[in-house]
Amino acid sequence: MKNSKNTPKIYVGTYRMYNSGSLFGKWFDLSDYSDAQEFYKDCYEYHRNESDPELMFQDWEYIPSFLISESTLHQDTFKYFEAVSEMDDDRAEAFEIYCSDIVSWPASGNDLEETLEGFEEAYQGYYGGAFKDPKTEFTYQYVEDTGMLSGAPEILERYFDYEAFGRDLFLETYTEINGFIFLD
C-alpha cells in the first residue's frame, strides 16, 4: 500500500473506555501494515492496559464503508488497498464505485480477484469533461468508436439524436455513476 495524502487511517479505542466516557485511543495508519494480523497485533499492544480489550473503530479516513464498521475490518482490506495502489486516482475511484454500487462487494460473496476481473470488463472510463452530461459524452464517443454513422449521408449525421440514443444505451446496457461508465 503506498503512503500518500489519502492514506487510510483508523482511530482505535475500546468499548470499555468509551463506555467509561473516554475517547482514549490512537490513529493507526494502515499503510504501516502489510496485513490485518499485523494491524490488530499493534492495536491490542496499544490497549494492553485492558485485560481483554474489545476494539472500537471510532473514526476512519479514506476507507470505503464496505470494508469497515465500528468493530470490524474486512479480511480483504489490505488486498483491496494493494490493488487500488496500482491504479491511477480515477480508476481507483471507479473501482470503489464498482465495488459499492454495482456489485456490492464484499457482501456479494465474490472474492477480490473475481471482482477485479469483473471491473476490468465492465469499466468503460470517466466521462465528465466536454459535456454537461456524461451519458451524452459517452454516447458521442461510442458512436465514433463503433463507426455507427460512418458511411451515412452527412445530412443524417447532422440530425442524429445522440441524447435519445444515449438514453436507450443506458436503459439496459450501461450504467453511469458520477461520470464513471460501466457495462451492465
Side-chain angles (χ1 to χ4, degrees), residues 110-131:
N110 291 343
D111 69 15
L112 183 59
E113 290 302 316
E114 289 174 311
T115 304
L116 278 165
E117 288 173 16
F119 170 73
E120 292 302 329
E121 291 173 16
Y123 182 55
Q124 302 298 302
Y126 176 72
Y127 293 83
F131 293 78

Side-chain angles (χ1 to χ4, degrees), residues 50-66:
E50 292 185 32
S51 60
D52 187 19
E54 187 179 0
L55 301 179
M56 179 183 193
F57 302 150
Q58 296 171 330
D59 197 6
W60 52 85
E61 294 178 349
Y62 306 111
I63 300 174
S65 61
F66 53 83

Side-chain angles (χ1 to χ4, degrees), residues 82-176:
E82 183 178 325
V84 298
S85 74
E86 298 170 5
M87 301 176 185
D88 65 33
D89 290 344
D90 279 348
R91 196 166 197 80
E93 185 177 349
F95 185 58
E96 182 178 335
I97 289 169
Y98 181 78
C99 289
S100 64
D101 298 336
I102 305 291
V103 296
S104 299
W105 181 85
S108 65
N110 291 343
D111 69 15
L112 183 59
E113 290 302 316
E114 289 174 311
T115 304
L116 278 165
E117 288 173 16
F119 170 73
E120 292 302 329
E121 291 173 16
Y123 182 55
Q124 302 298 302
Y126 176 72
Y127 293 83
F131 293 78
K132 284 176 30 179
D133 179 30
K135 293 177 182 178
T136 304
E137 184 177 344
F138 174 78
T139 303
Y140 272 90
Q141 188 68 49
Y142 177 88
V143 169
E144 183 178 315
D145 289 349
T146 61
M148 182 180 289
L149 294 177
S150 64
E154 192 176 313
I155 188 93
L156 178 61
E157 285 184 45
R158 281 187 282 173
Y159 286 98
F160 185 75
D161 190 342
Y162 286 90
E163 290 178 9
F165 182 66
R167 281 192 299 275
D168 289 347
L169 280 176
F170 284 88
L171 283 175
E172 296 179 359
T173 311
Y174 295 96
T175 298
E176 180 270 331

